[in-house]
Every structure is written in structure tokens, then in C-alpha cells.
């Protein structure tokens, strides 16, 4: 009885092993076709049918593309990248605030010239006696001014860094989309129907919408603040330029007698120009110029990649329109294909709030404006630092 039971058990195990061996090759082949490389070039119809049967989760190319994009981890932003940028901004903002409030007065000797004609009683009324409550309040107020100035500068720099990392992630998603395009199997003199070309355009649009969905949502939140900061940098550079240039030109004007040089060595009464310090807008602008230019360049790279893929899609649509035998009943498909190829990626371009596309002009304007103002400040011997 024990021998017969062992034989029956061995027979059942053998049958199970045979069933598993029969199913494994088919499952492995289907999984390989489903999870394999997206761009496979020309494929046989039998392989396509095999994938459609054995892989219901990958019913279309866009579904497989979405799965691969999620598994690649391109939609995420590395926290280390943000930390690197914020540490640099933290140091530059702190140095700018300390320079504006302390270093520029103590290191250059301007503090002595500033308070040379100031009475001792006026200083006591302003800051209080040593080790008094008024002196403590004055020091606390000064520390609060430094902290609030640093915090505002740091927040603006961090916002620009967030936009930069958003555009970098968008570039990575666009490169992944370019490397994993839907299979375009028509070349040379092969005939392609308009319906096939239309399906190809729709697949590309679906894949691009999914790849850029997260960065689009991030840009919608950052669009207005980033546009404000870019305008602020340009305004600060313009203000510094005018505050440096105008006093240099005023002595050459006719009937002008008030001295206007304030760069550390002249005199007494400067009129209204004594309260206009070009170092303040220049230093604040230089803190924000580097993250602004970096952000605008990343936006330009993203738009360039989109335009490149848009031109590839349009060329393939034109190839289909040229190779396909046109008939009267295909006029509707002809128009639909041309319109879909022209509208593809149209909404994917990064734009300002007023509709202007971000290009290479914006970073060039900001960079050359900063160089112009810095050069003018160096010629006028202005006490400033490049951060």
C-alpha cells in the first residue's frame, strides 16, 4: 500500500512539472515582448499578435510607455540636487546681507567717513548707552533686519532653484520620450496609410502628455512667481545702472553745480543722491542673477527638445502624406493627419503668463545686463562684491 501511494504521488508531481514546463516558455516570451525595449524597429505580425494575447495589461504602446517611464524614476527629483543648490544660495545670501550691512562700511573705511561729522550725543540717542536696554533693542532690531533680509533673498533663490530642477526633470522626460518613440516601420518606398500615420501621431501625443504631465503641473504653480523674480532682477539691474550712470553724467550737464560723487571720498552735501545707493540693488541683483540664468537656460533646453521632436513628427506625417495614395474618400483623413501633426506638442512649450515662449533671449539679456552693470561699477570704483 505504501509503494502504490508513493508511485501515485510521483506521478502527480511529474504531471505538475510537465504543466509548469509547458506554461513557462509562453509566459516568459510574453513577458519579454511586453517588458522589452519599446523601440524594436520592424516586427513580425505574429509577435505583435502574441503580445496582444498574452499581455492584456499592455493593450497599447502608450500603456507600456507609461509603465516604463514610471519604473525608470525620471518623474522624481533628487533631493540631493536641491540641497546642493540651496547650500550655495544660503552662503551667497548670507554674504550679501553681511556685506551690505557691515563689511562695506568696516572693511573700506567708509564707516569713519560716514560718522566723522556726527556728534557723540546723536549716536547715544540712536543706539543708547553701553549695556543698556536701548542698546539691546537696537542690536535686536539690527539682527532682525539681517534675518528678514536673508530669509527673503534665500526664499527667492530657492524658488528659482525649484524651477530649475523642474525643467531638468522635464528635459529628462523628453529625452526618454525621444529614445522610446513608437515604432515607425515605414521607410524608403513602403506605402503607409493615413490611418496608420494618424494612429502613430496619437500614440506620440499620448506618450508626451503623460511624460510632461507632472512638470506641467509644477510649472503652472511656479509660472507667476518665476516671472515676477525675473522681472525683479531686470529692474534691480536697471536701477543700479541708472544710479551709477546718472551721477557720472550730471557734472557734464550745463548749469550744474552740486557735487554728486558718493563713492567714498567726497564731500558733504550730495543733495537727493545721498539717499540713493547703487550698491544695494547691484548686490541684490547679483545674488539672483546666477540662479535666474541657470533656470532660463534649462527652460530653453526643454523647449528646444520639444521643437526637435515636433519637427520629427511633422516630417513623418509629411512622409505619410506623400507616400499614401490619395483618394477622394481620404480627404478627411488627410486634413486630420495634417492638423494633428501641427497641433502636436503645441501646448508642451514653456511660456510666460502673457503667452511668450521661453527662449534663449531671456538668459542672454539678463547675463549681458549683469556684465554691463558690473563693468560700469568697476569703472566708477564702486565698493561692491561679485557673489
Amino acid at each position: 500500500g505504501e509503494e502504490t501511494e508513493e508511485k501515485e504521488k510521483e506521478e502527480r508531481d511529474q504531471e505538475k512539472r510537465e504543466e509548469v514546463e509547458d506554461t513557462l516558455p509562453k509566459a516568459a516570451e510574453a513577458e519579454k515582448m511586453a517588458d522589452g525595449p519599446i523601440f524594436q524597429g520592424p516586427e513580425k505580425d505574429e509577435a505583435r499578435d502574441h503580445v496582444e494575447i498574452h499581455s492584456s495589461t499592455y493593450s497599447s504602446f502608450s500603456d507600456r510607455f507609461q509603465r516604463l517611464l514610471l519604473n525608470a524614476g525620471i518623474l522624481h527629483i533628487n533631493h540631493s540636487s536641491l540641497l546642493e543648490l540651496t547650500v550655495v544660495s544660503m552662503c551667497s545670501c548670507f554674504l550679501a546681507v553681511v556685506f551690505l550691512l557691515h563689511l562695506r562700511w568696516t572693511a573700506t573705511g567708509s564707516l569713519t567717513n560716514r560718522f566723522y561729522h556726527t556728534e557723540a550725543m546723536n549716536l547715544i540717542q540712536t543706539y543708547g548707552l553701553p549695556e543698556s536696554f536701548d542698546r539691546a533693542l537696537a542690536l535686536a532690531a539690527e539682527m532682525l533686519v539681517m534675518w528678514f533680509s536673508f530669509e527673503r533673498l534665500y526664499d527667492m533663490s530657492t524658488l528659482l532653484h525649484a524651477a530649475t530642477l523642474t525643467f531638468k526633470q522635464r528635459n529628462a522626460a523628453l529625452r526618454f520620450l525621444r529614445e522610446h518613440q513608437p515604432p515607425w516601420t515605414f521607410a524608403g518606398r513602403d506605402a503607409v496609410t493615413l490611418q496608420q500615420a494618424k494612429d502613430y501621431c496619437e500614440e506620440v501625443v499620448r506618450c508626451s502628455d503623460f511624460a510632461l504631465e507632472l512638470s506641467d503641473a509644477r510649472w503652472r504653480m511656479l509660472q507667476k512667481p518665476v516671472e515676477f523674480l525675473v522681472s525683479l532682477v531686470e529692474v534691480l539691474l536697471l536701477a543700479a545702472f541708472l544710479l551709477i550712470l546718472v551721477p557720472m553724467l550730471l557734472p557734464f550737464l550745463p548749469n550744474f553745480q552740486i557735487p554728486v560723487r558718493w563713492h567714498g571720498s567726497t564731500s558733504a552735501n550730495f543733495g537727493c543722491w545721498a539717499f540713493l545707493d547703487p550698491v544695494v540693488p547691484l548686490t541684490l541683483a547679483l545674488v539672483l542673477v546666477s540662479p535666474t540664468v541657470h533656470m532660463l537656460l534649462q527652460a530653453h533646453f526643454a523647449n528646444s527638445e520639444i521643437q526637435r521632436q515636433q519637427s520629427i513628427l511633422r516630417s513623418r506625417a509629411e512622409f505619410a502624406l506623400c507616400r499614401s495614395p490619395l483618394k477622394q474618400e481620404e480627404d478627411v483623413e488627410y486634413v486630420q493627419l495634417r492638423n494633428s501633426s501641427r497641433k502636436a506638442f503645441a501646448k508642451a512649450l514653456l511660456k510666460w503668463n502673457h503667452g511668450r515662449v521661453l527662449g534663449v533671449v531671456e538668459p542672454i539679456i539678463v547675463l549681458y545686463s549683469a556684465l554691463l552693470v558690473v563693468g560700469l561699477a568697476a569703472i566708477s570704483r564702486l565698493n561692491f562684491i561679485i557673489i
Side-chain angles (χ1 to χ4, degrees), residues 18 35 47 50 129 250:
E18 291 178 354
D35 295 333
H50 193 272
L129 294 173
L250 283 180

Side-chain angles (χ1 to χ4, degrees), residues 15 44 82 84 87 111 156 195 220 276 281 334 336 341:
E15 291 177 356
K44 296 182 180 180
L82 180 61
E84 293 174 359
V87 168
L111 185 65
M156 289 187 286
Q195 185 61 38
R220 283 194 294 270
L276 302 177
Y334 183 94
Q336 290 177 351
S341 63

Side-chain angles (χ1 to χ4, degrees), residues 209-227:
D209 290 341
F210 181 79
L212 302 179
E213 182 179 4
L214 187 57
S215 60
D216 284 337
R218 291 167 177 165
W219 174 237
R220 283 194 294 270
M221 292 186 294
L222 296 173
Q223 184 179 21
K224 291 183 179 179
V226 168
E227 187 174 3

Side-chain angles (χ1 to χ4, degrees), residues 257-276:
Q257 299 178 354
I258 300 177
V260 294
R261 293 180 58 193
W262 55 55
H263 298 158
S265 61
T266 61
S267 70
N269 186 13
F270 305 114
C272 63
W273 295 106
F275 301 99
L276 302 177

Side-chain angles (χ1 to χ4, degrees), residues 302-319:
N303 283 342
S304 299
E305 182 63 27
I306 290 173
Q307 293 172 354
R308 176 182 178 183
Q309 297 190 25
Q310 190 177 30
S311 63
I312 293 174
L313 183 61
R314 288 182 179 179
S315 63
R316 290 180 175 177
E318 292 296 332
F319 172 81

Side-chain angles (χ1 to χ4, degrees), residues 185-229:
T185 59
F186 310 101
R189 297 183 179 180
D190 296 339
V192 51
T193 63
L194 297 181
Q195 185 61 38
Q196 290 173 333
K198 181 182 176 183
D199 294 340
Y200 175 83
C201 292
E202 292 176 354
E203 286 291 331
V204 172
V205 171
R206 280 194 291 267
C207 294
S208 64
D209 290 341
F210 181 79
L212 302 179
E213 182 179 4
L214 187 57
S215 60
D216 284 337
R218 291 167 177 165
W219 174 237
R220 283 194 294 270
M221 292 186 294
L222 296 173
Q223 184 179 21
K224 291 183 179 179
V226 168
E227 187 174 3
F228 170 77
L229 289 180

Side-chain angles (χ1 to χ4, degrees), residues 141 169 351:
Q169 182 271 325
K351 300 179 180 179

Side-chain angles (χ1 to χ4, degrees), residues 158-204:
T158 305
L159 179 63
L160 293 173
H161 292 323
T164 300
L165 295 177
T166 298
F167 297 150
K168 283 187 176 181
Q169 182 271 325
R170 190 180 184 90
N171 287 328
L174 288 170
R175 288 194 298 268
F176 186 88
L177 176 63
R178 174 162 49 86
E179 295 170 358
H180 298 80
Q181 288 284 326
W184 178 261
T185 59
F186 310 101
R189 297 183 179 180
D190 296 339
V192 51
T193 63
L194 297 181
Q195 185 61 38
Q196 290 173 333
K198 181 182 176 183
D199 294 340
Y200 175 83
C201 292
E202 292 176 354
E203 286 291 331
V204 172

